Amino acid sequence: MEQIMENTYAHPEATSVPAGFERGLAVAFALAGTLAVGWLVGMVYVIATWALGG
């Protein structure tokens, strides 16, 4: 049993997801967050313009 545990912890890359996938996921979330903030700012501008009769 100890030998199995040593092998598992000696090679963490065998059980983890590829590093490229994690980087791609981070980029995807960053892009989605940027787009969401931009959309929110746009909606606030449109509503403010409409509310002020612009």
Side-chain angles (χ1 to χ4, degrees):
M1 187 64 181
E2 289 180 15
Q3 184 66 33
I4 294 172
M5 296 301 281
E6 287 175 8
N7 286 342
T8 301
Y9 290 113
H11 304 287
E13 68 276 0
T15 56
S16 65
V17 296
F21 177 78
E22 290 181 0
R23 174 174 288 178
L25 201 61
V27 169
F29 274 110
L31 181 60
T34 302
L35 290 175
V37 169
W39 181 86
L40 187 63
V41 169
M43 286 297 103
V44 168
Y45 174 76
V46 168
I47 292 170
T49 303
W50 171 79
L52 297 174

